[in-house]
Amino acid sequence: MAEMTLGQAVLIAKPLQGWEAARVTWGGLGFILCTLAFPPLAPAMVFGFAWLLFGLAYQQDVVGRVLGSRVFLWLGGFSFSFYMVHFILFKIFMWGIEPGLLQAGTEKILLGWTGLLAVMVLCALALRQWVERPSHRLARRLAGPRILP
């Protein structure tokens, strides 16, 4: 819901130019850092991320070009699916595998964490391909012509 609201805000807001966009971006980052520095403010961190994303949407410099690259667009494509699976897989890993890794060497620890990340990405890609995309197609079909593709 926050993503959709931010998307609409970017579409209807006055376009930010140059330093305006940079100030919004750095302001959002500063807000996030403040919430990290003062733990009682941690629940408000989500607003800092929204503020940061709003500023990043207007970046026309190197930051904008990097975030608009194919790699970041691909990562953004399955970010929601990743969000849905990562915590469960992380908790399973911490419960079942991680205690044994603590006794292992550095190589095995790195291999275990790399394996966890690979499983998370594969599960997210599978969820996107076989659940999220078909659900989007079904929703478009049920909604009829009211929703643009």
Side-chain angles (χ1 to χ4, degrees):
M1 197 122 106
E3 262 183 61
M4 292 186 298
T5 304
L6 281 172
Q8 286 300 312
V10 168
L11 290 175
I12 63 173
K14 174 187 146 254
L16 301 176
Q17 302 296 323
W19 283 105
E20 291 176 321
R23 280 195 302 260
V24 171
T25 303
W26 284 105
L29 186 59
F31 187 84
I32 292 167
L33 291 174
C34 285
T35 61
L36 289 171
F38 303 105
L41 298 176
M45 186 185 299
V46 68
F47 299 108
F49 279 107
W51 186 359
L52 176 65
L53 288 174
F54 186 76
L56 288 173
Y58 283 107
Q59 291 296 312
Q60 301 298 317
D61 56 1
V62 175
V63 174
R65 287 192 296 277
V66 168
L67 292 176
S69 69
R70 288 183 185 259
V71 172
F72 279 95
L73 292 175
W74 178 76
L75 288 171
F78 77 95
S79 63
F80 181 71
S81 300
F82 187 85
Y83 169 74
M84 296 301 288
V85 300
H86 85 281
F87 187 72
I88 295 167
L89 294 172
F90 175 73
K91 284 300 191 179
I92 292 170
F93 178 81
M94 293 300 286
W95 171 72
I97 298 170
E98 201 261 348
L101 278 180
L102 292 177
Q103 316 315 330
T106 305
E107 299 85 20
K108 288 186 180 181
I109 292 171
L110 289 175
L111 184 63
W113 283 99
T114 304
L116 172 64
L117 182 61
V119 168
M120 286 176 176
V121 169
L122 289 173
C123 286
L125 290 172
L127 184 64
R128 175 166 165 73
Q129 184 67 32
W130 293 314
V131 177
E132 187 178 352
R133 291 177 120 183
S135 298
H136 289 176
R137 285 192 295 271
L138 176 64
R140 283 190 196 104
R141 212 171 41 246
L142 293 174
R146 292 176 285 169
I147 296 179
L148 299 174

